Amino acid sequence: MPTTSAQPTLLYKLYCGLTTIAGPLVWHKVRGKLQAAGVPQNRQLERLGHPSLPRPKGQLIWFHAASVGESLSVLSLINRLGQHLPDTEFLITSGTPTSAEVIAKRLPARARHQYPPLDSAAPVRRFLDHWHPDAGIFVESEIWPRLIVEAAKDETPLALLNARLSDKSVAGWKKRPKTARFILDHFQLFLTQNDKTAANLIAMGADADRVQPGTNLKAMSDPLPVDHKTLSSTQAQIADRPVWIASSTHAGEEETVLAAHKDLLQRWPDLLLLLIPRHPERRSDVMKTVNDAGLTCAQRSAGQPITSDTQVYVADTLGETGTWYALCPIVFLGGSLKKIGGHNPFEPAQAGAAVITGPGYFNFAETFAPLIETGGAVLTNSAQDLSDAVALWLSDETKLEAARTAAKACVNTQANALTAVIETLCTQLNLSAQEPSSSG
């Protein structure tokens, strides 16, 4: 059970006071965003700690994640945990409507989703009094001080899983060592993505005996789902045209991608680009950028088909990326041409693709390193680099297959790591299979 000899610091007490005072204003802003996204009122109130679902009987494991990527990264873990603990129930909390929508389509057995409470006294207390989880697992960098401290007070063992902290965040916490130590002392276990994060956590005040360096959980995620009906329909529309994909692109990146595509069209006039913006709500900006580039396009969300004249297909929908990856083995992964941090390269690699990235993939540095080293991924810095990389794989099937094989091999090396993660979590958080008659 987590224990801490550290006392609440003045900074923590100030934080609690400020979050209580600012609570109504924060709720007003949060509620506005949820309303704009079409979230029903009963689900909006989850942010105030009011549940929209009953607590299930028996052992309940709670996973808390920030957004889509973090939430999806734990789904395969929950699936495996569910097999290991067949009578255990699961709760996933995440803060964005997009994550809630995506998770709802892929919820494992015996799992449910809720929005997390705002990090102030009343919402946190309502949430914990209702759900009373038997273990709490925070994913990546989700450090909510009050939620963590109050959960630990309820004798809920806590873990920080797939821990990742930016250099800026580490520097900030090091300036407040007593508060950092106080917060971190409430965790029973830290499973980090790499040795650097493990060392940083210890330097911030985490108990070294509770810190274990591991691997990126996203590398162990289940493959993205494929809608075979959509896949067949789209394949029929594309016919025998060459194709490449630019996935998870952000503002300021589409221009580079489209410049590369225009260069490639000189050599392959019938080449099709599948452009998948990271945030579908940017669709109008993306469409304008494509039109400004002088390229013809079709839009997935508008139901427009791919014709022989379509040069760019804007796939501006949620939950279909796995289907698009199944169409093509050449994927440029965005969030990397700008200082964004990149996205998970194992998703396209699991689908059998070779990967291209820009230089700004720092959030996945340990994941990309073996991919680039073995040739499963290549690094590009400009539109010309990107054009050259795609051209090489379009023109040389042998080199493309070698890259795809290397990418898949890197994914396979991570497969057994999930078993070790499950064993560690169960041991350190006192989780075990429940008797059939168990009740909560």
Side-chain angles (χ1 to χ4, degrees), residues 32-45:
K33 291 182 179 179
L34 294 174
Q35 286 177 336
V39 176
Q41 185 177 10
N42 69 320
R43 297 226 57 195
Q44 295 174 30
L45 292 174

Side-chain angles (χ1 to χ4, degrees), residues 55-79:
R55 188 206 189 278
K57 293 182 179 180
Q59 182 169 259
L60 178 69
I61 302 176
W62 162 41
F63 286 85
H64 178 60
S67 188
V68 176
E70 293 81 5
S71 300
L72 291 179
S73 72
V74 303
L75 292 183
S76 58
L77 176 59
I78 292 175
N79 276 317

Side-chain angles (χ1 to χ4, degrees), residues 186-203:
H186 290 85
F187 284 100
Q188 191 79 2
L189 172 68
F190 302 88
L191 278 175
T192 70
Q193 291 189 12
N194 50 43
D195 292 339
K196 178 182 177 181
T197 301
N200 280 336
L201 282 167
I202 293 170

Side-chain angles (χ1 to χ4, degrees), residues 42-43 46 49-56 90-92 107 111-115 127 130-131:
N42 69 320
R43 297 226 57 195
E46 292 169 15
H50 296 289
S52 63
L53 295 171
R55 188 206 189 278
F90 301 93
L91 170 68
I92 307 172
L107 272 176
R112 69 273 304 138
H113 175 272
Q114 297 276 277
Y115 290 105
F127 175 86
H130 175 77
W131 292 105

Side-chain angles (χ1 to χ4, degrees), residues 264-422:
L264 289 162
L265 284 169
Q266 296 180 39
R267 186 170 173 184
W268 290 276
D270 61 342
L271 180 65
L272 176 67
L273 167 65
L274 263 67
L275 181 58
I276 312 170
R278 180 68 175 183
H279 303 290
E281 61 270 21
R282 291 184 52 243
R283 56 178 57 87
S284 59
D285 291 338
V286 174
M287 294 296 292
K288 183 179 185 302
T289 301
V290 176
N291 289 325
D292 288 348
L295 295 166
T296 59
C297 63
Q299 187 176 4
R300 169 65 174 166
S301 64
Q304 298 170 347
I306 299 170
T307 69
S308 58
D309 295 326
T310 304
Q311 295 170 314
V312 180
Y313 186 54
V314 178
D316 55 340
T317 51
L318 284 172
E320 294 192 306
T321 303
T323 302
W324 309 137
Y325 285 167
L327 285 167
C328 171
I330 301 174
V331 175
F332 165 76
L333 200 55
S336 60
L337 290 172
K338 299 290 183 180
K339 293 182 179 179
I340 295 168
H343 294 293
N344 181 10
F346 282 103
E347 290 180 347
Q350 281 177 320
V355 183
I356 306 170
T357 182
Y361 57 82
F362 49 85
N363 284 343
F364 292 88
E366 72 283 347
T367 313
F368 265 107
L371 278 169
I372 293 173
E373 182 179 348
T374 60
V378 296
L379 176 64
T380 59
N381 292 283
S382 65
Q384 189 59 58
D385 284 351
L386 180 53
S387 174
D388 291 344
V390 175
L392 176 64
W393 285 340
L394 284 174
S395 61
D396 193 325
E397 183 67 25
T398 300
K399 289 182 179 178
L400 173 60
E401 286 304 311
R404 295 175 68 187
T405 299
K408 198 66 180 248
C410 285
V411 173
N412 291 339
T413 60
Q414 304 293 330
N416 293 331
L418 191 55
T419 300
V421 169
I422 289 171

